[in-house]
Amino acid sequence: MTSVAVVTGASSGIGAATVRRLAAEGFHVLAAARRTDRLADLVREVDANGGAATAVGCDVTSDESVAHLAAAAAAAPGPVTLLVNNAGGARGLDPVETGAIGDWQWMYDVNVLGTLRVTQALLPALISSGAGTIVVVSSTAGFTVYEGGGGYAAAKHAQTAVAGTLRLELCGRPVRVVEIDPGMVRTEEFSLVRFDGDADRADAVYAGVSEPLVADDVADCVAWCATRPQHVNVDRLVVRPLAQAAQHKVHRAG
């Protein structure tokens, strides 16, 4: 039977790229996100390229919506063997001293509790498949702090803690837990969301960096981890562009 993969945050960026890549690897992909119009376009693209995908409207901050995703997974044409917890994001670049509580709350709910909700909902199916994999797309902010990034780093540190704890708790059961931590990735929306649509501030993040990572680079990492033999668990994969030696060390031309 065809293996089923579930990808959250699938309407753009890393999520959409991961749907395309996993479909090319032979998975039937449940593409889950809030913006169902974008998902419909993505599914049509996947189908046109010979893959198989199904759009599922899902808000990872809603228990009811995640329950709907679990029901869709139960009705999928095969066992659910892969969950990619990709939904997440950042808001603001304010210091802790003046950080907006609402922004911090949103980042925690989407990045951490969203991962928790979806994982809890789909874990029984992943276990019963006999060969499950959970991929948590976190960030290098999950282990390194930086000025102005307190809220995002706190959320990603927590997401990292969830992944590590889950791996310990699932030891002895047939589910791998993989954490992927990208550094600088240029996607169409991440920085725009962070800066509330301010394109100039968003572009400044990548100024002078000729080749930041792109969504396809991270999707390639997800697919590689997910397609290793089942006894191989890639605990943590850290991926950055060549120009970024560390969180605080980026080569910028000029």
Side-chain angles (χ1 to χ4, degrees), residues 163-238:
T165 303
L166 186 62
R167 190 180 301 113
L168 295 175
E169 293 172 349
L170 291 177
C171 186
R173 288 189 274 180
V175 180
R176 303 181 292 185
V177 180
V178 177
E179 178 185 345
I180 297 179
D181 295 321
M184 180 182 285
V185 184
R186 184 162 199 166
T187 63
E188 64 267 35
E189 291 188 329
F190 180 84
S191 289
L192 276 176
V193 170
R194 180 169 217 166
F195 298 122
D196 198 26
D198 187 329
D200 290 338
R201 290 188 73 189
D203 289 343
V205 173
Y206 313 99
V209 181
S210 60
E211 291 183 294
L213 297 180
V214 294
D216 284 341
D217 295 322
V218 182
D220 184 44
C221 293
V222 173
W224 182 79
C225 291
T227 56
R228 295 311 86 206
Q230 187 65 22
H231 71 283
V232 177
N233 195 109
V234 180
D235 284 6
R236 167 180 272 177
L237 191 159
V238 178

Side-chain angles (χ1 to χ4, degrees), residues 10-239:
S11 60
S12 67
I14 292 170
T18 299
V19 170
R20 296 184 188 98
R21 178 58 190 274
L22 292 178
E25 292 285 347
F27 288 91
H28 183 109
V29 187
L30 299 190
R34 292 176 295 110
R35 295 177 294 186
T36 54
D37 56 334
R38 292 194 175 203
L39 292 180
D41 291 341
L42 177 62
V43 167
R44 281 192 289 270
E45 178 189 339
V46 168
D47 289 346
N49 288 323
T54 302
V56 183
C58 182
D59 178 353
V60 300
T61 69
S62 163
D63 293 346
E64 181 181 2
S65 188
V66 171
H68 170 69
L69 173 61
V80 177
T81 61
L82 174 60
L83 165 61
V84 182
N85 281 303
N86 168 73
R91 280 189 179 172
L93 198 63
D94 303 319
V96 172
E97 182 179 12
T98 57
I101 297 296
D103 287 347
W104 284 55
Q105 200 161 36
W106 179 85
M107 286 186 280
Y108 197 88
D109 201 10
V110 173
N111 292 282
V112 187
L113 298 183
T115 294
L116 177 63
R117 286 186 185 94
V118 177
T119 299
Q120 287 181 341
L122 294 181
L123 189 54
L126 290 161
I127 293 172
S128 67
S129 77
T133 302
I134 298 170
V135 175
V136 176
V137 180
S138 185
S139 166
T140 52
F143 55 86
T144 304
V145 298
Y146 57 95
E147 292 161 303
Y152 184 61
K156 287 301 185 182
H157 271 70
Q159 193 177 31
T160 288
V162 170
T165 303
L166 186 62
R167 190 180 301 113
L168 295 175
E169 293 172 349
L170 291 177
C171 186
R173 288 189 274 180
V175 180
R176 303 181 292 185
V177 180
V178 177
E179 178 185 345
I180 297 179
D181 295 321
M184 180 182 285
V185 184
R186 184 162 199 166
T187 63
E188 64 267 35
E189 291 188 329
F190 180 84
S191 289
L192 276 176
V193 170
R194 180 169 217 166
F195 298 122
D196 198 26
D198 187 329
D200 290 338
R201 290 188 73 189
D203 289 343
V205 173
Y206 313 99
V209 181
S210 60
E211 291 183 294
L213 297 180
V214 294
D216 284 341
D217 295 322
V218 182
D220 184 44
C221 293
V222 173
W224 182 79
C225 291
T227 56
R228 295 311 86 206
Q230 187 65 22
H231 71 283
V232 177
N233 195 109
V234 180
D235 284 6
R236 167 180 272 177
L237 191 159
V238 178
V239 54

